[in-house]
Amino acid sequence: MSGCMPVTFTTDDLATAQVDALVLGATKRDGALALLEGHGLDEDVVRSVSDALSALGAEGSTDEVSLLAGVDGVEAGLVLVVGVGGSGPAPRTEQLRRAAGVAARSLTGRGSAVFALGQEGRDQALAVAEGAALGAYSYVEQHGVGKAGSAKAPLASASVRGLDGEEAQAAQAEVSAMVDAVSYARDLVNTPPNLLYPETFAADVVSRAQEAGVEVEVWDPEQLAAEGCGGIIGVGQGSARGPRLVTLRYTPEGADRHLALVGKGITFDSGGLCLKPGASMVTMKMDMGGAAACAAATLAIAELGLPVQVTAYLCLAENMTGDLAQRPGDVVTMRGGRTVEIINTDAEGRLVMADGLALATEQQPDAIVDVATLTGACIVALGERTIGVMGNDDELRDSLVRLGTDAGDTAWALPMPEEIRPTLDTPVADLKHTGERSAGAMVAATFLQEFVGTRGEGAQASPIPWAHLDIAGPAYNEKSAWGYYPKGGTGAGVRSLVALARSFSG
């Protein structure tokens, strides 16, 4: 995939490491600053570093960085000490992941670094490696698009203390697959909308899927119409750049469980005839973050060789205001035959997703997970860094919250109260696609649930377990970089989906 910073693992002596920078972790214990153990440095070096940190007034707080040059007893020209923070809401592995990202971002322009942040065991070593590589991500550096000048290149390479031999090789491959996947999702989200639109998005995924040995199929507007995908057609008909549906199929031998993914892929959202204010359009290239996450996760699952069948539906359209743009009051027929009254053309994402969910249902998978930058209401409820998770199956929903949070995609469960469904009733169609303004994230999820079908027949029929990830907040960072998250696309949702697939395969 994309050219991400290479990360290796080592158990070599850090004092003699031939690198540009040595990265250590620190925290405050009993009111005093302390270096986290696991670095293997001798007492004189530790004392020298601690004295220098004390002189600087360092506290070891989250995101704090202290740079020390010419430390006696260390070959590296620079010692960087990053605050890991104390006990907090983030799991310990996530604190390390974020601290590594902060350090990597602070080492822009450097050639190499070795990380010893107090990690213990394989999981924490992987977290540090992942955080360092994701912290070194740069869209401009990889693609040369959007900025010229003398900007420094990101940190070129890193090694992480703690693993060796075959264990290190396996960990390196795992980190590479995950970082490549998250970086690919970030790349897609960051690509300007005049360059990334349904046709080019589909073409890029086709190219990468073929390299990964994943089967891929693309439906153009004519095929979408023939297949009855009225939601995708309706949203995309206002644009000169027609919609696409991309289906990815990963079918490894021996897989006995099937996971279906559905991603919202609005490559640019003007709001349609219910036009957004100009300032609200500036970041709307990110409205395909859900499709980006599903595509990247599927490719990562294939690269990791996880023994679970995955079918992903990328629902791609550009929501514009052309001559044929759909209007409030229109009624469209969705995949499967249900009719929907259009109320607000700026609530377009749920329409393309409905077709994807109906298609996923036809495959009778063991579970369906959809990912979408769906509602501003979810940002109001949970802020800009937390994924909202809803669904019809408590076990699946809660598993995604736990697995996602452990993997770095902080998530929280939201309910779907039964009183919401009647607000979608309309006399002119089976349902309308918006309801009352309050509880907007849950209203959108309730609409989506209508297109999730059942498994089995008659009295034996039961709803297919389904979960909805609203990534409207964390998919795009408009503010300053933090942790291992850059400004711009973040790759939210990718690691949640890979973690779920891993749980299905184990």
Side-chain angles (χ1 to χ4, degrees), residues 123-163:
D123 289 347
Q124 291 189 359
L126 261 65
V128 171
E130 186 179 288
L134 291 176
Y137 169 88
S138 170
Y139 175 76
V140 173
E141 176 67 19
Q142 291 181 30
H143 299 273
V145 174
K147 189 174 183 178
S150 59
K152 292 181 180 180
L155 177 65
S157 67
S159 58
V160 175
R161 183 172 171 82
L163 303 177

Side-chain angles (χ1 to χ4, degrees), residues 292-316:
C294 290
T298 302
L299 298 178
I301 291 164
E303 184 174 349
L304 291 166
L306 300 182
V308 56
Q309 181 181 350
V310 178
T311 308
Y313 301 89
L314 316 181
C315 307
L316 311 180

Side-chain angles (χ1 to χ4, degrees), residues 9-24:
F9 294 88
T10 182
T11 55
D12 293 345
D13 182 6
L14 299 189
T16 59
Q18 299 297 306
V19 292
D20 294 329
L22 168 60
V23 182
L24 304 175

